[in-house]
Amino acid sequence: MSTRVRIADVAAAAGVSTATVSRTLSSPGIVGEETRARVMAAVAATGYRINAAARDLRRQQPRAILVLAPNLANTFFSRIIAAIQDVAGQAGLAVQISDSRAGTDMLETMVQGGRADGIVLLDGALRPEMVRNWKLPVIQLCEWNDDYALPGLQIDNAAAARVAVNHLGDLGHTRILHVAGPSENVLSHARRAGFEDAMAARGLSPEIHQGGFTIEAGAAAAHAWANIADRPTAVFTASDECAFGFISECYRLGFKVPRDVSVIGFDDVDFAGHFLPPLTTIHQPRARLGRQAAERLVSALQSGTPLGAGYDQIPPHLVIRSSTSACSASKRTAEQSLRT
Amino acid sequence: MSTRVRIADVAAAAGVSTATVSRTLSSPGIVGEETRARVMAAVAATGYRINAAARDLRRQQPRAILVLAPNLANTFFSRIIAAIQDVAGQAGLAVQISDSRAGTDMLETMVQGGRADGIVLLDGALRPEMVRNWKLPVIQLCEWNDDYALPGLQIDNAAAARVAVNHLGDLGHTRILHVAGPSENVLSHARRAGFEDAMAARGLSPEIHQGGFTIEAGAAAAHAWANIADRPTAVFTASDECAFGFISECYRLGFKVPRDVSVIGFDDVDFAGHFLPPLTTIHQPRARLGRQAAERLVSALQSGTPLGAGYDQIPPHLVIRSSTSACSASKRTAEQSLRT
DNA sequence: CAGCCTCCTGTAATCGATTACATCAGCGTC
DNA sequence: GACGCTGATGTAATCGATTACAGGAGGCTG
């Protein structure tokens, strides 16, 4: 808590001017070798740490990027953020992470307060008037919102849903239920649209249960599914969590996966491969998404050119594990399942 | 990207001095009512946002707290961080989240760069020389390290392990295996020590498998367990993730839980109650931990008094679900299990 | 009406680092 | 030796907000 060391203290200790210290630290090449050594020694001796506020104020450039995520609770974001940190770190930029739902005021202060040069936005549900008003370069990642009129990057969610349907169709399933995500979410819409397309293309009639991304939503969907007289033989859920909830509840109700119902998730979270049964799911290359978004933002920042417009879409990849299997022509009832 | 609005612009628009604008924004009570209205209108009209760097530099107080977590990948931290954000927000403090493993340099800049007033540290494995050198108030949360000589808050990990052992003991288990966490981790040590204590107190001999916190570690432990000739009938794992991995692998090897082995986890993550079987585990009150730590830090910051020393320990709470059951006197072998 | 107090507002110094510009030493060239 | 050039360093203005201090208007008291 002692008074902080200022650049002037280092300068005094090294017997040079503050300008020289500053130059030694930011562009070592232009100071004499001997001077540089003396300054470095003084820095070490005094334990000097640059004052970020002063530097940012003068430079008018905080050299940081801000990551806004709607819910840090979501395991999903962690790896993305790690990748962003990686790219940013290489470029000498700091990374700040903030909850995009922390309240408008706090958010505006973070964004407009001059603490960041650019933003990676993982939330598509903020007020468009607010987002459009931001004066910093922003890139949307994973989620998006056309009303923001911003560039973005995501996997091709609709195509992913089509791949899922085709996998199930190829296994012989004709009655496929989609447990859709929250109705207000863009990802839900895209996945649902892709599902409907693919079903139509195969001449099948889509069945949809309005669900959510959570375990609870999946469990509820399992009950709804179990109550259908002529039950669909396959389910495509809006997220892995939802699939976990669905499958767990199925077992509790006496059904088995994939024997009684095949299930495909979405995201390929860490746990998906270890679940019982290991979950067939759409893989989201989280490290790649984070890296690519960060690279695009960083290069725009460094070159001073604005970010291009439009969305980059990464083609989907289905990871086939054991929660899906061929549709058995002879269907068993739940009662039979229980007996085994 | 247009030139940012400065306080002088607002002052000009409102026909007052910059001092008045500043006062209107920070202590509205001391400016005249009419003036205040004019200033507020000008602020709205110009879209003025305070420049954080300038304010911080002048105030010598960023009004922010920094949360350092070793791995944002861990779902575990999310709820803690949300609680911290809540408390901090009420006190008018911003919250910054950073990866404590992002690299020494970046870390030092975050910590010593004057961007934060205080720190919540969720990592006990940083270099003590570095941490001890920090000039800000720091409170350790969940993990801790005696070498830091800092105050902290955590659940009573040793007591928790004792509770787990006693629960299993009361169910009639006498052969209990502990799948310990990473050897270098404090939590692992405390839980292991509590395990050994409780076993000794019951006159049982502790069996320990050196594992880890991950799903993979749990799966590996399941193999090790299966290879023991006279298998323990109960397992206490170092984390829920580890328990999930253990149980999943058990099923894959043909064993059932809790029929063939009772399992207790640690943390009570969101998924624990939805797992198959629902997991008996030690509950960590994450919101409470976050809130309490933040409150202690914030009140120290506001009053200017240093944080007290010493650790606060929260008593453990065991959530009993279905992964534990009474030890069946007549043990079945894996072969028999497979047949059923 | 002088004197004083209160309430509000303006002036200007200040926080700490950066950097344009000035300065100076040393060297080579004509 | 005068001149110009290069490379290293110092001087001082600057970024934008805060706030100590000064000042002025208006009201109240004696």
Side-chain angles (χ1 to χ4, degrees), chain A residues 166-211:
Chain A
N166 288 334
H167 170 62
L168 292 170
D170 293 348
L171 287 172
H173 296 275
T174 52
R175 306 269 331 274
I176 305 176
L177 175 70
H178 176 45
V179 180
S183 56
E184 72 283 3
N185 185 284
V186 262
L187 301 175
S188 305
H189 281 150
R191 291 169 194 178
R192 178 180 176 150
F195 172 75
E196 287 168 344
D197 276 6
M199 290 297 276
R202 291 191 152 250
L204 303 174
S205 68
E207 299 175 57
I208 293 188
H209 173 82
Q210 183 55 51

Side-chain angles (χ1 to χ4, degrees), chain A residues 245-305:
Chain A
F246 185 92
I247 294 173
S248 295
E249 201 62 21
C250 276
Y251 274 80
R252 215 159 277 135
L253 294 170
F255 299 97
K256 287 191 172 172
V257 175
R259 198 193 56 186
D260 301 308
V261 57
S262 285
V263 178
I264 296 189
F266 207 115
D267 283 349
D268 196 21
V269 299
D270 290 342
F271 193 54
H274 297 274
F275 195 70
L276 279 173
L279 190 69
T280 296
T281 188
I282 302 290
H283 179 70
Q284 294 232 41
R286 301 185 275 157
R288 177 177 169 190
L289 285 162
R291 190 165 10 89
Q292 207 163 315
E295 279 166 357
R296 200 163 150 197
L297 182 59
V298 166
S299 87
L301 250 29
Q302 288 182 331
S303 66
T305 49

Side-chain angles (χ1 to χ4, degrees), chain B residues 95-120:
Chain B
V95 174
Q96 292 196 27
I97 303 148
S98 244
D99 188 342
S100 56
R101 304 289 164 84
T104 309
D105 255 19
M106 195 163 288
L107 205 55
E108 289 280 7
T109 325
M110 291 304 260
V111 173
Q112 313 252 39
R115 281 193 210 255
D117 299 303
I119 296 176
V120 177

Side-chain angles (χ1 to χ4, degrees), chain B residues 164-195:
Chain B
V165 168
N166 288 334
H167 170 61
L168 293 171
D170 292 349
L171 287 171
H173 296 274
T174 53
R175 306 272 329 277
I176 305 177
L177 174 71
H178 176 45
V179 180
S183 56
E184 72 285 1
N185 185 283
V186 263
L187 302 173
S188 304
H189 281 151
R191 292 168 193 177
R192 177 180 177 149
F195 171 77

